[in-house]
mmCIF file of all heavy atoms in Angstrom:
data_model
loop_
_atom_site.group_PDB
_atom_site.id
_atom_site.type_symbol
_atom_site.label_atom_id
_atom_site.label_comp_id
_atom_site.label_asym_id
_atom_site.label_seq_id
_atom_site.Cartn_x
_atom_site.Cartn_y
_atom_site.Cartn_z
ATOM 1 N N THR A 8 2.302 61.073 27.083
ATOM 2 C CA THR A 8 1.368 60.396 26.171
ATOM 3 C C THR A 8 0.238 59.719 26.916
ATOM 4 O O THR A 8 -0.851 59.574 26.388
ATOM 5 C CB THR A 8 2.103 59.351 25.321
ATOM 6 O OG1 THR A 8 2.748 58.446 26.186
ATOM 7 C CG2 THR A 8 3.112 60.010 24.415
ATOM 8 N N SER A 14 -6.756 61.691 32.404
ATOM 9 C CA SER A 14 -7.135 62.937 33.065
ATOM 10 C C SER A 14 -8.038 63.739 32.166
ATOM 11 O O SER A 14 -8.156 63.490 30.981
ATOM 12 C CB SER A 14 -5.870 63.735 33.395
ATOM 13 O OG SER A 14 -5.182 64.086 32.209
ATOM 14 N N THR A 53 -13.202 21.363 2.516
ATOM 15 C CA THR A 53 -12.872 20.173 3.307
ATOM 16 C C THR A 53 -13.854 19.043 3.022
ATOM 17 O O THR A 53 -13.460 17.879 2.871
ATOM 18 C CB THR A 53 -12.878 20.516 4.802
ATOM 19 O OG1 THR A 53 -11.901 21.533 5.062
ATOM 20 C CG2 THR A 53 -12.565 19.290 5.645
ATOM 21 N N ALA A 56 -13.026 17.511 -0.174
ATOM 22 C CA ALA A 56 -11.827 16.681 -0.049
ATOM 23 C C ALA A 56 -12.178 15.320 0.545
ATOM 24 O O ALA A 56 -11.665 14.281 0.107
ATOM 25 C CB ALA A 56 -10.785 17.392 0.807
ATOM 26 N N VAL A 61 -13.036 9.463 -0.372
ATOM 27 C CA VAL A 61 -13.920 8.285 -0.408
ATOM 28 C C VAL A 61 -13.992 7.728 -1.827
ATOM 29 O O VAL A 61 -13.946 6.511 -2.039
ATOM 30 C CB VAL A 61 -15.321 8.661 0.108
ATOM 31 C CG1 VAL A 61 -16.303 7.515 -0.111
ATOM 32 C CG2 VAL A 61 -15.268 9.026 1.598
ATOM 33 N N GLY A 95 -3.126 23.685 1.345
ATOM 34 C CA GLY A 95 -2.961 22.432 0.616
ATOM 35 C C GLY A 95 -2.705 21.262 1.538
ATOM 36 O O GLY A 95 -3.222 20.153 1.322
ATOM 37 N N LEU A 140 1.420 19.875 -3.917
ATOM 38 C CA LEU A 140 0.560 20.177 -5.066
ATOM 39 C C LEU A 140 0.167 21.646 -5.076
ATOM 40 O O LEU A 140 0.147 22.292 -6.139
ATOM 41 C CB LEU A 140 -0.691 19.303 -5.030
ATOM 42 C CG LEU A 140 -0.504 17.803 -5.275
ATOM 43 C CD1 LEU A 140 -1.838 17.076 -5.161
ATOM 44 C CD2 LEU A 140 0.131 17.533 -6.631
ATOM 45 N N PRO A 147 4.160 26.431 -14.789
ATOM 46 C CA PRO A 147 3.782 25.929 -16.111
ATOM 47 C C PRO A 147 3.850 24.397 -16.120
ATOM 48 O O PRO A 147 4.673 23.796 -15.428
ATOM 49 C CB PRO A 147 4.834 26.544 -17.041
ATOM 50 C CG PRO A 147 5.398 27.705 -16.292
ATOM 51 C CD PRO A 147 5.333 27.343 -14.842
ATOM 52 N N TRP A 149 1.884 22.274 -14.818
ATOM 53 C CA TRP A 149 1.680 21.770 -13.460
ATOM 54 C C TRP A 149 1.127 20.340 -13.387
ATOM 55 O O TRP A 149 1.441 19.620 -12.427
ATOM 56 C CB TRP A 149 0.799 22.724 -12.663
ATOM 57 C CG TRP A 149 -0.572 22.963 -13.220
ATOM 58 C CD1 TRP A 149 -0.925 23.850 -14.180
ATOM 59 C CD2 TRP A 149 -1.766 22.285 -12.857
ATOM 60 N NE1 TRP A 149 -2.269 23.782 -14.454
ATOM 61 C CE2 TRP A 149 -2.826 22.828 -13.645
ATOM 62 C CE3 TRP A 149 -2.076 21.275 -11.948
ATOM 63 C CZ2 TRP A 149 -4.138 22.391 -13.539
ATOM 64 C CZ3 TRP A 149 -3.392 20.840 -11.848
ATOM 65 C CH2 TRP A 149 -4.400 21.392 -12.629
ATOM 66 N N TRP A 157 3.016 12.564 -7.021
ATOM 67 C CA TRP A 157 2.320 11.349 -6.578
ATOM 68 C C TRP A 157 3.311 10.188 -6.448
ATOM 69 O O TRP A 157 3.266 9.419 -5.492
ATOM 70 C CB TRP A 157 1.219 10.973 -7.567
ATOM 71 C CG TRP A 157 -0.107 11.625 -7.283
ATOM 72 C CD1 TRP A 157 -0.610 12.756 -7.851
ATOM 73 C CD2 TRP A 157 -1.097 11.167 -6.357
ATOM 74 N NE1 TRP A 157 -1.854 13.034 -7.336
ATOM 75 C CE2 TRP A 157 -2.190 12.078 -6.425
ATOM 76 C CE3 TRP A 157 -1.181 10.085 -5.487
ATOM 77 C CZ2 TRP A 157 -3.335 11.923 -5.642
ATOM 78 C CZ3 TRP A 157 -2.330 9.933 -4.707
ATOM 79 C CH2 TRP A 157 -3.379 10.844 -4.784
ATOM 80 N N PHE A 169 9.694 2.212 9.432
ATOM 81 C CA PHE A 169 9.805 0.759 9.653
ATOM 82 C C PHE A 169 9.676 -0.031 8.351
ATOM 83 O O PHE A 169 9.040 -1.091 8.302
ATOM 84 C CB PHE A 169 8.748 0.264 10.652
ATOM 85 C CG PHE A 169 8.744 0.986 11.961
ATOM 86 C CD1 PHE A 169 7.655 1.760 12.346
ATOM 87 C CD2 PHE A 169 9.833 0.916 12.805
ATOM 88 C CE1 PHE A 169 7.650 2.431 13.549
ATOM 89 C CE2 PHE A 169 9.842 1.582 14.020
ATOM 90 C CZ PHE A 169 8.743 2.343 14.390
ATOM 91 N N ASN A 181 -5.435 -0.093 -10.296
ATOM 92 C CA ASN A 181 -5.490 -0.196 -11.755
ATOM 93 C C ASN A 181 -4.803 -1.469 -12.236
ATOM 94 O O ASN A 181 -3.921 -1.434 -13.082
ATOM 95 C CB ASN A 181 -4.857 1.042 -12.387
ATOM 96 C CG ASN A 181 -5.714 2.267 -12.259
ATOM 97 O OD1 ASN A 181 -6.539 2.549 -13.115
ATOM 98 N ND2 ASN A 181 -5.541 3.004 -11.172
ATOM 99 N N VAL A 198 2.794 3.054 -13.593
ATOM 100 C CA VAL A 198 1.333 3.011 -13.612
ATOM 101 C C VAL A 198 0.780 4.144 -12.754
ATOM 102 O O VAL A 198 -0.145 4.858 -13.161
ATOM 103 C CB VAL A 198 0.812 1.646 -13.121
ATOM 104 C CG1 VAL A 198 -0.713 1.641 -13.072
ATOM 105 C CG2 VAL A 198 1.313 0.522 -14.031
ATOM 106 N N PHE A 235 -7.756 17.463 -22.307
ATOM 107 C CA PHE A 235 -8.582 16.259 -22.420
ATOM 108 C C PHE A 235 -7.955 15.261 -23.387
ATOM 109 O O PHE A 235 -7.926 14.051 -23.124
ATOM 110 C CB PHE A 235 -9.987 16.625 -22.878
ATOM 111 C CG PHE A 235 -10.928 15.453 -22.913
ATOM 112 C CD1 PHE A 235 -11.541 15.009 -21.757
ATOM 113 C CD2 PHE A 235 -11.170 14.769 -24.099
ATOM 114 C CE1 PHE A 235 -12.390 13.914 -21.784
ATOM 115 C CE2 PHE A 235 -12.015 13.674 -24.133
ATOM 116 C CZ PHE A 235 -12.629 13.244 -22.977
ATOM 117 N N VAL A 241 -2.880 9.365 -22.626
ATOM 118 C CA VAL A 241 -2.170 8.675 -21.539
ATOM 119 C C VAL A 241 -2.950 7.441 -21.099
ATOM 120 O O VAL A 241 -2.369 6.379 -20.815
ATOM 121 C CB VAL A 241 -1.951 9.638 -20.349
ATOM 122 C CG1 VAL A 241 -1.408 8.880 -19.143
ATOM 123 C CG2 VAL A 241 -0.995 10.758 -20.739
ATOM 124 N N VAL A 263 -3.058 -26.144 -2.587
ATOM 125 C CA VAL A 263 -3.947 -26.665 -1.551
ATOM 126 C C VAL A 263 -4.382 -25.536 -0.631
ATOM 127 O O VAL A 263 -3.545 -24.835 -0.050
ATOM 128 C CB VAL A 263 -3.255 -27.772 -0.726
ATOM 129 C CG1 VAL A 263 -4.144 -28.212 0.426
ATOM 130 C CG2 VAL A 263 -2.896 -28.951 -1.616
ATOM 131 N N GLY A 276 -7.196 -21.751 16.036
ATOM 132 C CA GLY A 276 -7.953 -22.824 16.658
ATOM 133 C C GLY A 276 -7.052 -23.722 17.502
ATOM 134 O O GLY A 276 -6.038 -23.294 18.037
ATOM 135 N N GLY A 336 3.361 -37.863 -3.446
ATOM 136 C CA GLY A 336 4.502 -38.348 -4.211
ATOM 137 C C GLY A 336 5.279 -37.307 -4.989
ATOM 138 O O GLY A 336 6.085 -37.651 -5.860
ATOM 139 N N SER A 370 14.922 -23.639 1.874
ATOM 140 C CA SER A 370 13.839 -22.833 2.429
ATOM 141 C C SER A 370 14.055 -21.360 2.125
ATOM 142 O O SER A 370 15.164 -20.930 1.795
ATOM 143 C CB SER A 370 13.747 -23.029 3.949
ATOM 144 O OG SER A 370 14.926 -22.544 4.589
ATOM 145 N N GLU A 381 3.866 -8.735 13.004
ATOM 146 C CA GLU A 381 4.769 -9.879 13.108
ATOM 147 C C GLU A 381 5.991 -9.576 13.980
ATOM 148 O O GLU A 381 6.727 -10.487 14.322
ATOM 149 C CB GLU A 381 5.205 -10.315 11.704
ATOM 150 C CG GLU A 381 4.036 -10.831 10.876
ATOM 151 C CD GLU A 381 4.428 -11.203 9.455
ATOM 152 O OE1 GLU A 381 5.353 -10.579 8.898
ATOM 153 O OE2 GLU A 381 3.798 -12.116 8.891
ATOM 154 N N PHE A 396 -0.390 -5.633 22.249
ATOM 155 C CA PHE A 396 0.857 -6.127 21.659
ATOM 156 C C PHE A 396 1.315 -7.434 22.307
ATOM 157 O O PHE A 396 2.164 -8.137 21.756
ATOM 158 C CB PHE A 396 1.954 -5.079 21.763
ATOM 159 C CG PHE A 396 1.768 -3.909 20.825
ATOM 160 C CD1 PHE A 396 2.233 -2.650 21.141
ATOM 161 C CD2 PHE A 396 1.127 -4.069 19.610
ATOM 162 C CE1 PHE A 396 2.067 -1.575 20.281
ATOM 163 C CE2 PHE A 396 0.945 -3.009 18.736
ATOM 164 C CZ PHE A 396 1.417 -1.761 19.074
ATOM 165 N N ARG A 398 -0.362 -9.928 22.356
ATOM 166 C CA ARG A 398 -0.875 -10.986 21.491
ATOM 167 C C ARG A 398 0.109 -11.321 20.376
ATOM 168 O O ARG A 398 -0.129 -12.224 19.583
ATOM 169 C CB ARG A 398 -2.223 -10.575 20.893
ATOM 170 C CG ARG A 398 -3.298 -10.311 21.940
ATOM 171 C CD ARG A 398 -4.669 -10.269 21.341
ATOM 172 N NE ARG A 398 -5.095 -11.593 20.889
ATOM 173 C CZ ARG A 398 -6.315 -11.876 20.455
ATOM 174 N NH1 ARG A 398 -7.238 -10.929 20.417
ATOM 175 N NH2 ARG A 398 -6.628 -13.094 20.044
ATOM 176 N N ALA A 428 3.559 -6.512 -1.974
ATOM 177 C CA ALA A 428 3.311 -5.083 -2.134
ATOM 178 C C ALA A 428 4.593 -4.284 -2.332
ATOM 179 O O ALA A 428 4.535 -3.115 -2.723
ATOM 180 C CB ALA A 428 2.565 -4.532 -0.905
ATOM 181 N N LEU A 444 6.270 -17.098 -10.017
ATOM 182 C CA LEU A 444 6.247 -16.591 -8.647
ATOM 183 C C LEU A 444 5.154 -17.273 -7.840
ATOM 184 O O LEU A 444 4.074 -17.574 -8.352
ATOM 185 C CB LEU A 444 6.012 -15.081 -8.643
ATOM 186 C CG LEU A 444 7.135 -14.224 -9.239
ATOM 187 C CD1 LEU A 444 6.656 -12.788 -9.434
ATOM 188 C CD2 LEU A 444 8.366 -14.246 -8.337
ATOM 189 N N ARG A 514 8.881 -18.861 -17.547
ATOM 190 C CA ARG A 514 9.484 -17.923 -18.493
ATOM 191 C C ARG A 514 10.854 -17.464 -18.021
ATOM 192 O O ARG A 514 11.086 -17.282 -16.826
ATOM 193 C CB ARG A 514 8.580 -16.703 -18.700
ATOM 194 C CG ARG A 514 7.185 -17.059 -19.188
ATOM 195 C CD ARG A 514 6.372 -15.827 -19.567
ATOM 196 N NE ARG A 514 6.916 -15.214 -20.779
ATOM 197 C CZ ARG A 514 7.617 -14.095 -20.801
ATOM 198 N NH1 ARG A 514 7.885 -13.440 -19.689
ATOM 199 N NH2 ARG A 514 8.070 -13.613 -21.956
#
Side-chain angles (χ1 to χ4, degrees):
T8 57
S14 62
T53 300
V61 172
L140 291 178
W149 60 276
W157 272 97
F169 306 115
N181 287 270
V198 177
F235 185 81
V241 171
V263 175
S370 64
E381 295 177 329
F396 287 150
R398 299 195 70 172
L444 293 168
R514 303 188 69 254

